[in-house]
Amino acid sequence: MRNVKNAVCVKCAAEFEAARATYTCTKCGGRLEVTYDYDYIKTRVSREKFAADKNFSMWRYMDFLPIEEGAKVCPLRTGWSPLYKTDALGKALGLKNLYVKDDGINPTSSLKDRPSAVAAVRAFHEGKDTVSCSSTGNAASSLAGAAASMGLKSVIFVPERAPQGKLTQLLIFGATVVSVKGDYGATFRLSAQAIEKYGWYNRNASINPYLSEGKKTVSLEIAEQLGFAAPDFVAVSVGDGCTIAGVWKGFKDLFAVGLIDKLPRLISVQAEGCCPVNRAIEKNAPLEEMEENTLADSIAVGLPRNGDKALAAIRDSGGIAVNVSDEEILAAMRLLGASSGIFGEPAGVAGTAGLAKAAAQGLIPSDALVVSIVTGNGLKDVVSGQKAAGIHGDAPGSVSPNLIRIEPDMEKLTREFVKRGVVS
């Protein structure tokens, strides 16, 4: 890989050959980070080259990825998700230049398709026939889909609370699914033991440093879609820390090669019921494990295994840590849908919920250029979508003010419209 220098331990700075399947530092056990030859990449990329590139997927950024030249890539069209200027949402939040990056349109409907595509490519290149990971849902379904498209087998470990929609995806993609009776920590430990025992390719992003490289392509797209103008703020939902670390890495890569002239500040958003990363930021203290008490399953990670990289990204960017309640997350689902036509799952809209809270607290200037990343589609967790919409029990819309149950009578309909203010 001519564009890659090596993989460096973030704790002791030990260096490793990036072409090998090395996941963690063999000297101190620290996490690794892929480093690039930016002087070489500068000779390969330019705004003009990107403007002429018709490959509208994450693979347009191959010069920024740890993939061997000529390697077979995942055939599913991943990346180049839309970046919407959401004026109605911006008005509601008091922000004049607000954009939403909708990564729910990826092949399995989440941002996790990006790192899973990288995992499938590297696994195929290394001659592995099986890939595996632990996940609360999105990483699992994305890996199963990517593996299926590459002719690989997948073995997926999920906690028993994983939403049915995500379990359904896994089974449709032909994965062997292990539902673990326990929390995410127990699920992760069992997956790690099985992966080591059977020699499968390890897609666990908190262990595998190459997965963040896939996640960072969302930042490369945001910058390019803004005409290579970096945002002032980027709001990201945070679980195990891999996504926010990847988002930061992408902007740093672009800055290093001169494609953007500044770096954004990150808004790290976690659920109040599970916020170990933000708590460490607020207390300026080491990470401590928390209970996983939130409906936002994809960010319910009590002990983030990539916490060090997440903390570094937030601090290096001069970022903001915001915690939101489950009620604020559900409210953000409704607001995002009603103002923008975007249906996000709880973890997917947590960034928007945190952005709303930060804006209300005056932490973001009204004229700032702001991007909120929606990391997953609402159909991944229909039960939570029903809660947000006010649908409970066996009577759809029984407590939702926007659903009218009525006999086929025009006079009654007219009275109901007037009563509800639908018409005057």
Side-chain angles (χ1 to χ4, degrees), residues 14 27-28 44 55 101 118 131 136 147 162 183 206 237 288 384:
K27 295 183 178 180
C28 74
R44 303 264 304 171
N55 180 2
K101 179 70 166 169
V118 171
V131 294
T136 55
D183 60 12
S206 56
S237 57
E288 294 182 3
S384 292

Side-chain angles (χ1 to χ4, degrees), residues 124-208:
F124 187 90
H125 182 76
E126 293 174 19
K128 301 285 188 178
D129 65 358
T130 304
V131 294
S132 182
C133 74
S134 63
S135 167
T136 55
N138 282 332
S141 55
S142 68
L143 180 62
S149 76
M150 295 282 287
L152 303 172
K153 294 181 289 185
S154 60
V155 180
I156 309 297
F157 296 77
V158 298
E160 58 184 342
R161 60 175 164 78
Q164 291 298 308
K166 297 174 183 180
L167 286 175
T168 301
Q169 279 188 307
L170 291 171
L171 297 171
I172 288 294
F173 294 144
T176 297
V177 182
V178 182
S179 179
V180 181
K181 296 180 179 180
D183 60 12
Y184 178 74
T187 305
F188 179 89
R189 289 189 292 273
L190 184 61
S191 75
Q193 293 167 3
I195 290 168
E196 182 176 2
K197 178 179 177 65
Y198 298 111
W200 299 326
Y201 186 85
N202 190 340
R203 185 255 180 256
N204 284 320
S206 56
I207 294 296
N208 188 330

Side-chain angles (χ1 to χ4, degrees), residues 33-34 36 38 41 50 61 64-65 211-224 228 230-231 234 242-260 262-264 266 313 373:
E33 181 155 306
V34 180
Y36 291 86
Y38 291 123
I41 294 175
F50 281 122
Y61 304 112
F64 291 98
L65 293 172
L211 278 297
S212 285
E213 303 305 306
K215 290 188 176 187
K216 78 181 182 185
T217 59
V218 72
S219 299
L220 308 184
E221 289 177 15
I222 288 169
E224 185 178 358
F228 289 105
V234 178
C242 302
T243 297
I244 197 167
V247 167
W248 183 235
K249 180 76 176 295
F251 286 114
K252 286 198 300 179
D253 282 353
L254 291 175
F255 184 76
V257 299
L259 284 173
I260 58 175
K262 69 173 185 178
L263 293 168
L266 301 179
I373 302 175

Side-chain angles (χ1 to χ4, degrees), residues 4-23:
V4 176
K5 284 185 175 180
N6 51 29
V8 178
C9 176
V10 298
K11 284 189 176 180
C12 73
E15 298 182 359
F16 299 87
E17 184 181 345
R20 295 184 178 181
T22 304
Y23 298 142

